[in-house]
């Protein structure tokens, strides 16, 4: 991280330095060049003027010689002394030039042969062929002599008099004809440029000083600017370790404040979202394993638990299913919330009555609870079931509940180690299906039960295809009047000749169909067949007969039942007073009001309602006070005993009496003997249906 911080800071500082350097160079170099050129021009003018002055000195000395004032030799020495300095003992002159030719500048002169005739150090030396230093070779003296004829400048490199350093030099040379001297003034460019160099040095110093302060300031400023950014980077690093930290706020109102505030807001909302996610995760976990309504473990948890017990702990155990029997009824009579309360109460009871600490109680859905018991002791299981039934009878009183709930319990023992929950549950479900079909309070899964239930589902599949292929048809059994032995009506009874299974009794397929919506299609078909046959039946008997149709509860309670019957009746021109609908007692339980409304509507339309199978179920005559029925059919199981059993005989008489008093017709079913006929007649029962008169038969036209 620090690497990146440095790089950003250094980049920014570097950029500032670069700008500063560009400004300095852009300003400094041109001014240096201008100054240098200007100074060089000035220097050159000084050299030229100096030489001109030297020549006029020679002129005037020459005049003095002509006038005989001094000798030529003396005059020359005076000129040398004046222009270069007096000769010293060491043969060198002191260099006291009358005009300033710069620190290292001086006058000199050659004669035409190329000897030094005036020079600070090497007077008298032959220098004609002296060559300059540096790459470009210049014959200095030769050139100066040549240029000097007209007077002019020469530029070349030469070493400084007091060192070996090479410097650029200028000279101005001019020929003086009187003595035949070529007078030269030389100077080093650097001497003239000194001021320009000073300017440059000053600029460099200035640059360095500003640079120092600017770097110092920029560093401090960058630290300030970068601090919030660095804090954000630091905080982001922490987030990599799943820590969310806000950064210190900024008071100055600028973009950095916006950035910091924005970042902190982002952290806030991130934190909020993370919290939301966490709590949702918790909820989901709960949802996944806990039942919402009861707080008990749900199917998922039970599956994991049971699978673990078998796989990991190699447990032999029992899976129990516990169904609340009357929940549907409770829901429809008392409302769903009452039903929910009931489930909660039961769940609470089960939670406190867990069968052993290694067991699990779960709600598997709707009205079903699952209990896993980690024990191979079946007596313990049975005892727990027994206790649970008793416990609930007790609860009913102590809690003063409106309804007494009952349970169906199905259980399965598992000792197979390669079994899993799903398959065990399937077995328990089969046992439960069996218990319900048989009206049992409890059932244990076995192979026989499995075979039975399986054959039921096979039958169901065949029935489905049988319905599509019109394998069902009605037969009719006559109802004979006891008054004149005339046929007053017929009951339509369904027959099924399956292409695969052969003849299947309605006692087998009707209960299976009744468990599914298949019964709706089936009943519609039956109604249609019977109505189609109505005309043929009338013709067969030569007078109008009633047709009785067995109507299953699901069809009777279906939404458009009444209008459906009316439409069909009018479609096939069946007078409604000839239609008798047979219903069974079980439909009345818990639904009395609803059924009554329907019954009223049907009776108003002219149809008759018959209560079938009286004597098999609750057989309560109380219904007669609450609902108006047209006919009651006494079941064969009752009729079977009226001849041999005096009690049954007596009961039969009184029942017929009561029914007759309600103005209801009575039909004795399953009458097979003359003795039975006699009793039925003597009891005042008006109609008989049984093999004694006729078996159910196909209508042959
Ligand atoms: P159920 O409505 O009580 O019909 C009377 C049953 O008793 C018929 O049996 C009939 O054949 C039989 N039976 C009548 N007289 C005698 C007799 O003297 N002796 C003996 N042993 N039996 C007699 P089935 O046809 O086997 O029908 C059985 C049950 O199947 C019916 O009982 C009825 O509950 C149901 N069922 C038949 N057809 C239909 C139908 O179309 N719809 C509905 N929902 N149920 C039907
Ligand atoms: Ca019937
Ligand atoms: Ca019956």
């Amino acid at each position: 991280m620090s690497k990146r911080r440095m790089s950003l800071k250094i980049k920014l500082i570097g950029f500032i330095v670069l700008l500063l350097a560009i400004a300095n160079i852009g300003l400094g170099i041109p001014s240096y060049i201008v100054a240098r050129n200007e100074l060089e021009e000035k220097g050159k003018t000084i050299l030229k003027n100096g030489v001109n002055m030297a020549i006029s000195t020679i002129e005037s000395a020459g005049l003095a010689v002509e006038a005989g004032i001094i000798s030529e030799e003396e005059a020359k020495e005076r000129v040398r002394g004046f222009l270069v300095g007096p000769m010293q003992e060491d043969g060198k002159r002191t260099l006291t030039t009358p005009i300033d030719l710069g620190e290292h500048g001086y006058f000199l002169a050659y004669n035409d042969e190329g000897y030094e005739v005036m020079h600070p150090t090497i007077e008298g030396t032959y220098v004609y062929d002296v060559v300059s230093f540096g790459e470009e070779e210049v014959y200095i003296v030769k050139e100066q002599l040549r240029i000097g004829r007209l007077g002019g400048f020469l530029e070349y490199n030469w070493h400084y008099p007091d060192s070996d350093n090479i410097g650029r030099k200028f000279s101005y040379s001019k020929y003086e004809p009187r003595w035949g001297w070529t007078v030269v003034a030389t100077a080093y460019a650097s001497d003239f440029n000194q001021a320009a160099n000073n300017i440059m040095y000053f600029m460099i110093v200035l640059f360095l000083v500003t640079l120092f302060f600017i770097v110092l300031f920029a560093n401090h400023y960058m630290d300030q600017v970068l601090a919030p950014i660095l804090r954000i980077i630091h905080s982001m690093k922490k987030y990599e370790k799943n820590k969310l930290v806000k950064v210190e706020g900024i008071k100055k109102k600028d973009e950095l404040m916006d950035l910091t505030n924005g970042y902190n807001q982002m952290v806030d909302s991130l934190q909020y979202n993370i919290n939301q996610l966490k709590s949702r995760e918790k909820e989901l976990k709960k949802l996944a394993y806990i039942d919402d309504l009861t707080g008990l473990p749900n199917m998922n948890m039970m599956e994991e638990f049971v699978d673990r017990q078998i796989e990991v702990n190699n447990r032999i155990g029992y899976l129990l299913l516990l169904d609340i029997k009357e929940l549907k009824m409770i829901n429809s009579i008392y409302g769903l919330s009452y039903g929910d309360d009931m489930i909660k109460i039961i769940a609470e009871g089960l939670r406190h009555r867990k069968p052993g600490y290694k067991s699990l109680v779960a709600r598997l859905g709707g009205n079903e609870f699952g209990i896993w018991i980690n024990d191979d002791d079946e007596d313990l299981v049975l005892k727990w079931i027994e206790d649970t039934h008793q416990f609930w009878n007790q609860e009913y009183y102590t809690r003063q509940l409106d309804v007494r709930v009952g349970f169906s319990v199905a259980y399965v023992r598992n000792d197979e180690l390669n079994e899993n929950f799903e398959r065990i549950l399937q077995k328990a479900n089969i046992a439960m299906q069996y218990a319900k079909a048989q009206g049992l309070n409890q059932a244990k899964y076995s192979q026989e039960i499995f075979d039975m239930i399986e054959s039921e589902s096979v039958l169901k599949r065949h029935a489905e295809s049988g319905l599509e292929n019109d394998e069902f048809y009605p037969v009719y059994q006559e109802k004979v009047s006891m008054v004149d032995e005339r046929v007053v009506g017929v009951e339509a009874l369904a027959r099924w000749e399956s292409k695969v299974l052969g003849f299947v009794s309605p006692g087998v397929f009707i209960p299976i169909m009744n468990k599914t919506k298949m019964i709706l299609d089936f009943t519609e078909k039956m109604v249609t067949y019977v109505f189609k046959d109505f005309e043929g039946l009338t013709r067969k008997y030569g007078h109008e007969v009633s047709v009785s149709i067995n109507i299953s509860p699901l069809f009777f309670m279906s939404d458009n039942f009444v209008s459906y019957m009316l439409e069909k009746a009018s479609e096939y021109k069946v007078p409604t007073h000839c239609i008798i609908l047979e219903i069974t007692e079980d439909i009345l339980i818990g639904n009395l009001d609803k059924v009554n409304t329907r019954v009223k509507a049907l009776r108003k339309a002219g149809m008759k309602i018959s209560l079938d199978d009286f004597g098999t179920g609750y057989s309560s005559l109380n219904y007669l006070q609450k609902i108006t029925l047209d006919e009651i059919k006494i079941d064969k199981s009752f009729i079977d005993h009226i001849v041999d059993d005096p009690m049954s005989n007596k009961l039969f008489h009184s029942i017929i009496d009561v029914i007759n008093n309600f103005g209801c017709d009575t039909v004795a079913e399953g009458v097979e003997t003359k003795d039975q006929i006699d009793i039925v007649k003597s009891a005042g029962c008006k109609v008989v249906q049984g093999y004694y008169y006729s078996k159910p038969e196909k209508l042959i036209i």
Side-chain angles (χ1 to χ4, degrees), residues 370-481:
I371 300 104
W372 174 262
I373 302 173
N374 255 336
D375 205 311
D376 195 16
D377 184 359
E378 189 161 350
D379 288 343
L380 185 130
V381 174
L382 290 171
K383 178 143 195 339
W384 186 82
I385 296 173
E386 179 57 36
D387 288 353
T388 305
H389 283 305
Q390 274 183 14
F391 175 78
W392 274 105
N393 285 337
Q394 196 60 41
E395 281 290 275
Y396 170 70
Y397 289 112
T398 46
R399 284 180 180 261
Q400 296 185 318
L401 299 173
D402 297 320
V403 246
R404 187 187 209 139
V405 288
F407 302 116
S408 306
V409 183
Y411 65 99
V412 51
R413 174 181 182 268
N414 181 63
D415 57 2
E416 286 175 47
L417 294 182
N418 58 357
E419 198 54 299
N420 65 22
F421 174 72
E422 208 183 317
R423 286 194 293 265
I424 299 172
L425 180 66
Q426 214 176 335
K427 289 178 184 171
N429 274 328
I430 286 170
M432 180 59 86
Q433 228 175 306
Y434 175 79
K436 282 181 178 168
Q438 304 295 314
L440 300 171
N441 274 342
Q442 73 191 57
K444 184 190 178 184
Y445 172 83
S446 66
Q447 188 60 42
E448 293 76 54
I449 286 179
F450 176 81
D451 292 344
M452 212 185 93
I453 297 290
E454 197 198 39
S455 66
E456 217 175 73
S457 65
V458 169
L459 208 73
K460 210 174 100 189
R461 275 204 308 279
H462 288 305
E464 265 160 2
S465 62
L467 260 183
E468 277 174 29
N469 303 329
D470 285 331
E471 291 172 2
F472 294 89
Y473 61 90
V475 291
Y476 298 96
Q477 189 178 28
E478 291 163 351
K479 284 163 78 184
V480 180
S481 164

Side-chain angles (χ1 to χ4, degrees), residues 491-493 548-551 582-584 610 612-613 633 669 689:
E491 179 182 2
L493 294 159
S548 296
I549 306 171
N550 292 285
I551 303 294
E582 293 192 6
I583 55 172
T584 42
S610 167
D612 203 357
D613 298 343
K633 297 180 91 172
E669 275 192 309
Q689 181 184 340

Side-chain angles (χ1 to χ4, degrees), residues 644-663:
D644 303 330
D645 177 16
M647 264 303 282
S648 293
N649 189 328
K650 230 177 152 190
L651 193 60
F652 179 69
H653 273 78
S654 35
I655 285 174
I656 300 292
D657 257 1
V658 174
I659 299 172
N660 281 342
N661 282 339
F662 271 101

Side-chain angles (χ1 to χ4, degrees), residues 477 491-495 505-507 510 519 522 526 550-552 582 612-613 635-636 669-672 689-692 696:
Q477 189 178 28
E491 179 182 2
L493 294 159
R495 293 294 173 261
S505 154
I510 296 287
I519 194 69
F522 167 79
M526 282 302 290
N550 292 285
I551 303 294
S552 69
E582 293 192 6
D612 203 357
D613 298 343
D635 194 68
K636 182 176 178 292
E669 275 192 309
V671 176
E672 294 177 345
Q689 181 184 340
Y691 290 176
Y692 182 76

Side-chain angles (χ1 to χ4, degrees), residues 66-338:
E66 268 172 34
I69 298 170
I70 49 170
S71 70
E72 190 176 310
E73 238 358 85
E74 211 177 343
K76 284 182 179 171
E77 192 48 41
R78 274 202 190 166
V79 166
R80 287 186 191 109
F82 175 67
L83 292 176
V84 186
M87 179 62 87
Q88 288 164 348
E89 280 169 11
D90 61 355
K92 290 181 181 171
R93 296 189 185 273
T94 50
L95 254 187
T96 46
T97 43
I99 49 172
D100 185 8
L101 296 177
E103 194 189 340
H104 303 98
Y106 54 89
F107 288 107
L108 58 94
Y110 315 113
N111 62 14
D112 288 343
E113 287 81 44
Y115 286 89
E116 296 274 8
V117 287
M118 177 175 76
H119 193 277
T121 51
I122 51 164
E123 226 167 74
T125 315
Y126 177 72
V127 292
Y128 187 74
D129 46 9
V130 166
V131 177
S132 71
F133 295 97
E135 282 173 19
E136 193 191 357
E137 285 191 352
V138 177
Y139 283 87
I140 302 167
V141 179
K142 221 164 146 185
E143 280 300 300
Q144 283 170 339
L145 286 173
R146 185 181 60 78
I147 293 165
R149 289 292 149 177
L150 293 171
F153 292 100
L154 179 69
E155 263 187 64
Y156 57 95
N157 291 327
W158 196 253
H159 67 79
Y160 285 90
D162 44 7
S163 78
D164 288 338
N165 292 342
I166 308 291
R168 206 158 61 82
K169 268 188 105 169
F170 299 113
S171 72
Y172 187 82
S173 53
K174 196 167 181 185
Y175 181 70
E176 196 286 316
R178 186 180 298 268
W179 289 344
W181 285 11
T182 298
V183 181
V184 182
T186 70
Y188 288 85
S190 60
D191 288 348
F192 295 128
N193 294 344
Q194 199 56 49
N197 287 343
N198 286 348
I199 288 175
M200 198 171 70
Y201 297 147
F202 175 73
M203 292 217 59
I204 289 170
V205 169
L206 193 68
F207 170 68
L208 290 174
V209 170
T210 21
L211 189 67
F212 173 75
F213 282 110
I214 278 190
V215 167
L216 208 69
F217 172 72
N219 185 40
H220 176 70
Y221 184 69
M222 287 299 145
D223 277 349
Q224 265 193 353
V225 170
L226 287 177
I229 298 174
L230 292 179
R231 281 200 288 268
I232 288 172
I233 293 173
H234 189 64
S235 152
M236 288 194 315
K237 283 276 159 192
K238 279 201 171 158
Y239 181 58
E240 283 171 13
K241 291 174 197 155
N242 281 329
K243 264 190 221 161
L244 260 180
V245 218
K246 283 212 260 187
V247 296
E248 198 183 303
I250 294 182
K251 281 178 200 107
K252 234 191 251 173
K253 285 186 180 166
D254 58 10
E255 286 84 349
L256 285 171
M257 188 183 85
D258 293 344
L259 178 72
T260 320
N261 290 349
Y263 180 80
N264 283 342
Q265 274 169 11
M266 199 183 73
V267 168
D268 275 343
S269 73
L270 211 60
Q271 188 64 57
Y272 175 77
N273 286 340
I274 288 172
N275 291 345
Q276 287 286 97
L277 270 179
K278 274 188 187 158
S279 72
R280 215 162 287 168
E281 208 177 328
K282 253 190 204 165
E283 271 171 31
L284 278 178
K285 242 187 200 159
K286 252 172 99 185
L287 269 184
Y289 289 110
I290 300 292
D291 174 59
D292 227 17
L293 182 67
T294 60
L296 281 179
N298 66 8
M299 178 86 86
N300 290 342
M301 175 125 68
M302 177 150 237
E303 179 166 10
E304 274 192 20
F305 180 83
V306 172
D307 284 344
R308 204 172 45 240
Q309 294 306 320
I310 297 170
E311 264 175 53
V312 182
N313 302 338
N314 300 339
R315 287 286 185 174
I316 294 175
Y318 283 86
L319 178 67
L320 279 72
L321 292 183
L322 192 144
D323 269 22
I324 310 167
K325 266 189 192 167
E326 284 83 9
L327 193 69
K328 250 194 196 156
M329 192 192 74
I330 293 170
N331 280 339
S332 59
I333 296 174
Y334 297 94
L336 281 176
S337 67
Y338 190 90

